[in-house]
Amino acid sequence: MEALGDSEVGVKKVCVIGLGYIGLPTACILSSKGFKIVGVDINQELVGELNQVNIDPLEPGLVDLANSAIKSGNLIAKISPQEAGVFIICVPTPLIDKNKADLTYVKNAAKNILPYLRKGNLVILESTVPPGTTEVILKPILEESGLNVGSELYLAYCPERVLPGNILKELVENDRIIGGINPESAQLAKEIYQSFVEGKIYLTDATTAEMVKLVENSFRDVNIAFANELSRICDKLNLNVWKVIELASKHPRVNILKPGPGVGGHCIAVDPLFLVEKASDEAKLIKTARCVNDSMPDYTVEKVERAAKEARIKSPIIACLGIAYKAGTGDLRGSPALKIVRRLKEKGYTVRACDPYIKNFNEFPLFSLEETVDGADCLVVLVDHNEFKKVKLGKFLQKMRNKIIIDIRGVWKSRK
Ligand code: SAJ
């Protein structure tokens, strides 16, 4: 028997479109607050697995939360929407043509809910989009329902801001920005989010909220690019970038981010380009930051090659620690570490890689930490997982044939 019937249509029934890394946790949290949730996804396999309470351990705590949401009967997964009081769209907006947002999934989601929209419903978009999308693209599609958006149908943009790896905590604790197509829409959306958000909720217009989301991730990208540029300058001047950053950050108004092998994940390397799409001539710094961060994998490969050459090692065995996109996760999306390992392999080097967070990986064999380091000539730290930080450098050095250390993530900060 289905847990959710049509009789339960109302604000307490919410249809979440897109059960990805934001849609699923949002659906689960809302269901834990007593909302009746229909989670909709085009991925039939995912819908089947969810309903049988058999999902991948994507995110700490999520499997348990999803299990109890399904068991409580408050969450049910479907491949098509149903009537509800509120529709929350959380679908991907990937990049096409190098710097354009592909809004196909957003448009399709909006078209798919058209037959189910009723007077008084609220539609919320959470997907990251270029400024103006809610007003100029989403609103006209929703108006095809015959309802007036603003007075008969309410529409708001509410960007997600959670950090992968800490999603359930940040969904609750972070402040939220809600941009309404009009103040009534923003206020109605606030009533939904305040059921689970403990942070502050700020109301604005939809286009400002869209811009704010892109600004947040561009801020981080530009600041990481600054750290990466410092790392290149320090390499040239034979200085320890970690020491320089540590001391410069002692200034009360200076707080420098960490250099690394580049920027991965599916947000920070993509979202700034939505601003470039809208204002290419003006977004000079943002464009340059993207180039700096994108150049880091190649720069890292060159650094490894240079070190082996200087040590006169003809066929070095290269040990790579980590292939995930950042510490504490097995997420490989856009991972600069994986790019570096691939490039070294393509160049014909003997490369051994390990990553304690990655279980099912078929592209090339992964080794244990010990196997990776044993007999290696060159050790390259690509991800600052805690498991690597815990090991004393001396222990690694004992196991290596030649002792070249390239610590891209600053795990042993005192070395250059
Ligand atoms: N990185 C560095 N140096 C740093 C910080 C990060 O090289 O000092 C690298 C990481 O290793 C990783 C990449 O940048 O490869 C991105 O990692 P991240 O932890 O900065 O961010 P994401 O992509 O996991 O999540 C970001 C978050 N945005 C901000 O912190 C402004 C998150 O809050 C957003 O919700 C998410 O993007 C998103 O969905 O937009």
Side-chain angles (χ1 to χ4, degrees):
M1 194 196 83
E2 281 193 6
L4 305 171
D6 282 350
S7 59
E8 290 173 88
V9 174
V11 173
K12 273 286 183 189
K13 184 167 170 185
V14 179
C15 207
V16 177
I17 319 289
L19 296 176
Y21 89 103
I22 294 300
L24 182 57
T26 304
C28 292
I29 285 203
L30 280 170
S31 85
S32 75
K33 298 291 173 192
F35 287 89
K36 299 282 180 192
I37 310 294
V38 185
V40 181
D41 205 289
I42 51 172
N43 180 345
Q44 200 148 9
E45 213 176 307
L46 173 76
V47 168
E49 284 177 1
L50 243 193
N51 282 326
Q52 287 157 36
V53 195
N54 176 25
I55 55 166
D56 272 354
L58 307 160
E59 177 70 29
L62 185 57
V63 173
D64 289 344
L65 194 65
N67 281 351
S68 50
I70 297 273
K71 279 186 189 142
S72 73
N74 277 356
L75 171 63
I76 186 164
K78 292 268 165 198
I79 51 165
S80 38
Q82 290 182 356
E83 281 185 27
V86 182
F87 295 82
I88 305 181
I89 301 175
C90 306
V91 293
T93 46
L95 209 59
I96 40 166
D97 303 336
K98 293 206 171 117
N99 70 352
K100 250 176 102 14
D102 181 357
L103 297 175
T104 312
Y105 295 111
V106 173
K107 290 180 191 165
N108 287 347
K111 285 179 191 154
N112 286 343
I113 61 172
L114 281 177
Y116 307 96
L117 291 175
R118 301 288 174 263
K119 199 172 169 189
N121 280 175
L122 165 67
V123 178
I124 300 169
L125 178 65
E126 283 212 18
S127 313
T128 306
V129 290
T133 303
T134 305
E135 277 276 353
V136 178
I137 293 174
L138 193 52
K139 186 169 170 244
I141 296 177
L142 296 178
E143 273 169 346
E144 289 172 29
S145 66
L147 297 165
N148 177 280
V149 176
S151 60
E152 294 176 308
L153 188 65
Y154 301 97
L155 175 60
Y157 179 73
C158 180
E160 56 84 10
R161 317 173 104 175
V162 287
L163 196 71
N166 201 24
I167 290 182
L168 294 182
K169 191 166 180 282
E170 293 207 354
L171 259 184
V172 172
E173 291 179 4
N174 289 1
D175 293 350
R176 295 293 290 241
I177 311 296
I178 297 177
I181 211 88
N182 57 3
E184 291 83 353
S185 298
Q187 187 54 40
L188 284 173
K190 182 179 178 183
E191 283 161 27
I192 300 299
Y193 286 97
Q194 70 190 9
S195 69
F196 67 91
V197 172
E198 288 169 10
K200 289 204 181 85
I201 298 180
Y202 298 94
L203 303 188
T204 182
D205 63 90
T207 309
T208 301
E210 291 165 336
M211 181 71 180
V212 166
K213 168 68 190 176
L214 300 180
V215 166
E216 289 165 5
N217 281 359
S218 302
F219 172 88
R220 200 145 167 92
D221 200 37
V222 167
N223 281 280
I224 297 168
F226 179 65
N228 282 332
E229 187 162 292
L230 291 182
S231 144
R232 296 175 80 136
I233 295 172
C234 285
D235 281 349
K236 189 164 188 175
L237 303 182
N238 203 24
L239 291 168
N240 180 333
V241 68
W242 300 98
K243 197 77 210 162
V244 169
I245 288 177
E246 184 196 323
L247 294 177
S249 298
K250 301 279 183 213
H251 184 286
R253 286 172 296 281
V254 175
N255 186 11
I256 301 170
L257 292 184
K258 291 190 274 180
V263 169
H266 51 298
C267 310
I268 294 188
V270 172
D271 302 352
L273 296 171
F274 296 177
L275 286 179
V276 175
E277 172 188 345
K278 284 286 172 184
S280 179
D281 290 345
E282 292 74 16
K284 289 190 178 68
L285 186 59
I286 293 171
K287 256 191 272 184
T288 306
R290 276 286 68 248
C291 291
V292 170
N293 288 335
D294 273 352
S295 73
M296 291 313 287
D298 276 342
Y299 179 73
T300 307
V301 169
E302 282 163 26
K303 206 165 157 172
V304 173
E305 290 187 298
R306 211 178 316 122
K309 209 169 159 196
E310 276 167 15
R312 296 210 166 84
I313 306 169
K314 278 226 173 71
S315 309
I317 298 177
I318 303 169
C320 291
L321 303 199
I323 60 167
Y325 92 85
K326 66 174 183 179
T329 175
D331 198 333
L332 287 168
R333 283 175 292 184
S335 168
L338 182 56
K339 276 184 206 150
I340 291 163
V341 174
R342 279 185 184 141
R343 261 170 233 177
L344 288 168
K345 281 177 170 287
E346 279 159 18
K347 285 180 162 241
Y349 293 104
T350 304
V351 184
R352 293 198 296 249
C354 65
D355 196 306
Y357 290 82
I358 293 169
K359 299 288 168 248
N360 303 313
F361 185 71
N362 303 320
E363 191 180 317
F364 49 79
L366 291 176
F367 298 86
S368 69
L369 181 55
E370 291 70 28
E371 288 165 340
T372 303
V373 178
D374 211 8
D377 296 300
C378 182
L379 181 70
V380 194
V381 185
L382 295 175
V383 187
D384 45 344
H385 287 315
N386 274 335
E387 289 74 1
F388 305 150
K389 285 191 201 161
K390 274 195 285 203
V391 185
K392 291 238 160 62
L393 177 58
K395 210 170 162 206
F396 282 136
L397 291 173
Q398 272 171 20
K399 301 266 177 193
M400 293 172 68
R401 186 169 66 177
N402 284 289
K403 303 188 190 311
I404 303 174
I405 306 290
I406 302 187
D407 182 6
I408 301 295
R409 292 286 190 172
V411 169
W412 305 290
K413 293 194 171 69
S414 56
R415 290 180 68 97
K416 257 184 245 153

